[in-house]
Amino acid sequence: MEAIAAFAKNLYSTTGLNFSFIYDPFDRARWIVGIKTTILLSIASIFFSMIIGLIGTLLDRSRFRVVRTAIRGYVHVFRNTPPLAQLYFFYFALAPLMPYYVTAQGARQPYFDGFLWAVIALSLLQGAYTLEIFRSGLDAVPKDFVEASNALALGRVTRFCRIEFPLAVRICLPAMESNLVNSVKNTSMAYAIAVPEILYQATQIWGDRVNVPEVMCALLASYMVLVGAVSLFMRFLARRLAMPGYGT
Amino acid sequence: MRTHRPMAARVVIFAAILLALGPAEAADGSPERASAFATVLKWIPLLLSGFWLNILMSVLAMAIGTVIGVILGVSQLSKNRMLAGFAVLYTHFFRNAPWLVVLFFVMFLLPFNMRLGGFAVGIPDWVKATFGLSLPVAANISEITRGAILSIPSGQWDAGRSLGLSRGMIFYLVIIPQCVRRMLPPWMNWYAILLMATVLSSIVGVTEILTLTERVTASESRPDILLPIYGFVMALFFVFCYPIARATYYLERRFGVTHREAIG
């Protein structure tokens, strides 16, 4: 670690390439906070979007027309309006209506901070896409499987949990990979509401040090590593879940 | 779809729901003040002028992105190793980089003016943003093109050859016309995504609709217009993007299925 820091410092003095987030403890701390926040934001929004997608898919198969229409409405609104406008809508328009507490100094302090709003907005956005992916996966389950499980007198719940869902997950995997990659990429929008994720920290660092090209390259490299990790994980999952004799 | 209402009616209903979020919130307010809804109404011409820039940027970026993307997509399948390698690398890189980061990259690292015969000509920031937006679009069009070309059965190539056509002629007379049909739905889909992504340029300082919205809310400084005004912006985009989504869905069902992706 020391050797790398010394190398980065030497690089600055000899070539003028200022990778300040490697040798400077303050910038390094900011960079690490940024990476951590981005990862946390990605994981949280992926987790909640999966839950929204799953519940939404179940509700979309509801017997009641009102429920189905509401789910369709949610999907259409979130897929056809700009994600950044959604984020602003939540953070600037809805946040002031949320409960807050007053600090000892008399300042209004909301219970929901920027990070939480980013998680909410990104989960709802990505949830709409996840829902559509799950739905098309379930639609793609061959009818023979459903008929076979009916012939075995399986109940609705058993049929869904043991037959339809496991098959749908496998059908969904390729579409899900790009969906998860998008979840990671979309976290960069949280910059707009000052969540200290990697893009925000990068702008802070180059604002202080005026080393835009160096930080910019490191920023892109960081995203490539994160996106690559997601892709590798999904490939691993696809291999683990592969069923012999059942095409991908 | 289970409902059978015509599409236009559905667009209006959804847009109305978005708009209705506003007045529902604007019930309070002293008599001498204009209602929140009237205040938003006053600013709508300004917001529409900003939206015009969004449309312009999206159309230009789509044009640039399509030209670069188709060239890259064909290059990906080129027999020239160097060319194919570059095209594949570009496509993967810009498909995986967040749009906002690419936008920052272009805004900061492109010059703000250029010399044209001794004169310094300024490059407006929206032009740079348009270029920045066209890069990821090109990468995705490139992938669509590649997929479309590969999806054409190899028998078509053989048939062309048996008619005595050269490789280039087969490509232009046989393969490309069939690709266009398959590329149309995803291409329209990416246009909608791009239109929605143009608001990202507000972060890097382009005066488009979202920037203007922020300025309006700052100058009015009344919290009760926030919901209706952001609702209006979303409704505006919805009215443009939802019909495209429906048309894409319809064409996809006719030509085969692909998935809609989120902006990233």
Side-chain angles (χ1 to χ4, degrees):
Chain A
M1 201 64 226
E2 284 302 312
I4 300 169
F7 173 75
K9 206 160 193 169
N10 189 39
L11 198 69
Y12 181 37
S13 54
T14 52
T15 63
L17 290 173
N18 188 1
F19 289 95
S20 62
F21 49 89
I22 297 177
Y23 65 81
D24 184 75
F26 184 63
D27 283 1
R28 188 162 59 211
R30 290 202 275 201
W31 191 261
I32 290 170
V33 167
I35 299 254
K36 274 186 185 162
T37 311
T38 294
I39 292 176
L40 204 62
L41 201 53
S42 307
I43 291 174
S45 60
I46 287 172
F47 177 75
F48 287 112
S49 70
M50 289 282 183
I51 290 182
I52 292 171
L54 203 56
I55 294 175
T57 313
L58 294 178
L59 291 180
D60 201 30
R61 294 154 75 83
S62 155
R63 240 167 299 169
F64 303 104
R65 209 184 132 142
V66 180
V67 177
R68 293 199 308 258
T69 310
I71 292 294
R72 292 286 92 206
Y74 156 70
V75 169
H76 289 320
V77 166
F78 277 84
R79 282 162 65 103
N80 292 300
T81 54
L84 186 64
Q86 292 167 18
L87 189 62
Y88 280 8
F89 183 82
F90 283 110
Y91 189 67
F92 293 128
L94 281 185
L97 305 173
M98 290 292 146
Y100 58 89
Y101 61 92
V102 179
T103 58
Q105 287 79 29
R108 276 172 59 149
Q109 195 68 32
Y111 286 108
F112 287 20
D113 62 352
F115 181 83
L116 212 54
W117 280 113
V119 170
I120 292 171
L122 291 175
S123 304
L124 283 172
L125 165 71
Q126 224 56 49
Y129 288 90
T130 309
L131 200 164
E132 284 295 272
I133 291 173
F134 280 157
R135 193 177 64 101
S136 63
L138 279 176
D139 284 348
V141 171
K143 289 288 158 285
D144 331 11
F145 286 82
V146 179
E147 281 162 16
S149 54
N150 283 342
L152 290 170
L154 298 182
R156 250 167 81 99
V157 178
T158 319
R159 191 184 71 200
F160 183 81
C161 295
R162 307 293 283 275
I163 311 288
E164 289 180 280
F165 186 68
L167 285 170
V169 165
R170 286 164 172 84
I171 297 168
C172 287
L173 277 179
M176 202 49 102
E177 182 184 335
S178 60
N179 192 39
L180 294 191
V181 165
N182 282 330
S183 296
V184 174
K185 284 157 66 185
N186 278 336
T187 58
S188 63
M189 274 187 311
Y191 162 83
I193 58 170
V195 174
E197 46 75 69
I198 187 78
L199 177 60
Y200 181 83
Q201 300 290 17
T203 58
Q204 297 283 310
I205 292 172
W206 77 50
D208 291 351
R209 304 266 176 177
V210 202
N211 52 352
V212 178
E214 294 93 326
V215 175
M216 198 70 95
C217 290
L219 179 64
L220 278 171
S222 307
Y223 274 112
M224 288 300 138
V225 170
L226 289 177
V227 165
V230 170
S231 287
L232 280 180
F233 175 73
M234 290 305 283
R235 303 260 161 83
F236 164 77
L237 208 61
R239 265 207 310 280
R240 277 301 301 273
L241 294 178
M243 279 164 49
Y246 188 73
T248 52
Chain B
M1 292 308 287
R2 297 175 184 102
T3 49
H4 295 284
R5 251 171 270 137
M7 190 184 78
R10 264 191 261 160
V11 171
V12 171
I13 290 169
F14 279 127
I17 289 171
L18 278 177
L19 273 176
L21 285 170
E25 263 323 304
D28 77 301
S30 39
E32 71 268 22
R33 284 210 306 187
S35 77
F37 200 65
T39 313
V40 172
L41 222 55
K42 185 178 75 183
W43 290 110
I44 280 179
L46 179 74
L47 295 182
L48 286 179
S49 75
F51 188 61
W52 162 241
L53 185 60
N54 288 71
I55 301 269
L56 182 68
M57 283 169 68
S58 66
V59 169
L60 287 178
M62 197 67 198
I64 301 170
T66 305
V67 172
I68 300 178
V70 168
I71 294 172
L72 281 171
V74 175
S75 307
Q76 280 199 70
L77 301 168
S78 160
K79 281 182 175 163
N80 183 334
R81 278 276 183 84
M82 281 279 286
L83 189 64
F86 169 77
V88 170
L89 200 68
Y90 175 97
T91 305
H92 279 257
F93 183 80
F94 280 100
R95 264 164 61 89
N96 287 327
W99 291 51
L100 189 54
V101 177
V102 173
L103 216 49
F104 265 100
F105 211 104
V106 169
M107 296 308 272
F108 274 100
L109 301 182
L110 236 57
F112 57 87
N113 65 9
M114 57 180 183
R115 302 222 138 259
L116 243 174
F119 293 100
V121 181
I123 305 175
D125 50 3
W126 69 268
V127 173
K128 285 205 284 182
T130 304
F131 178 67
L133 288 168
S134 71
L135 296 178
V137 171
N140 287 291
I141 301 289
S142 161
E143 199 60 13
I144 292 169
T145 311
R146 191 187 76 104
I149 295 173
L150 287 182
S151 75
I152 306 293
S154 60
Q156 298 284 323
W157 286 93
D158 300 337
R161 214 167 298 131
S162 73
L163 289 171
L165 299 177
S166 72
R167 198 175 142 84
M169 280 169 84
I170 298 173
F171 196 72
Y172 288 109
L173 296 175
V174 181
I175 305 298
I176 290 285
Q178 299 184 69
C179 286
V180 168
R181 233 170 59 120
R182 295 183 190 205
M183 283 169 64
L184 190 63
W187 184 84
M188 283 164 49
N189 188 21
W190 275 103
Y191 175 73
I193 292 174
L194 171 63
L195 179 59
M196 293 192 286
T198 52
V199 300
L200 291 176
S201 63
S202 78
I203 295 177
V204 290
V206 179
T207 316
E208 48 69 74
I209 188 165
L210 213 54
T211 315
L212 291 172
T213 310
E214 281 175 88
R215 288 190 194 159
V216 167
T217 55
S219 71
E220 288 283 347
S221 71
R222 357 184 332 195
D224 56 339
I225 67 159
L226 287 169
L227 272 179
I229 204 162
Y230 280 108
F232 171 75
V233 173
M234 286 168 75
L236 199 56
F237 277 93
F238 187 85
V239 165
F240 269 76
C241 295
Y242 185 65
I244 297 177
R246 297 304 307 171
T248 307
Y249 178 74
Y250 171 75
L251 288 177
E252 268 174 3
R253 293 229 301 196
R254 280 189 51 187
F255 301 152
V257 180
T258 53
H259 290 291
R260 174 87 174 260
E261 286 183 24
I263 302 168

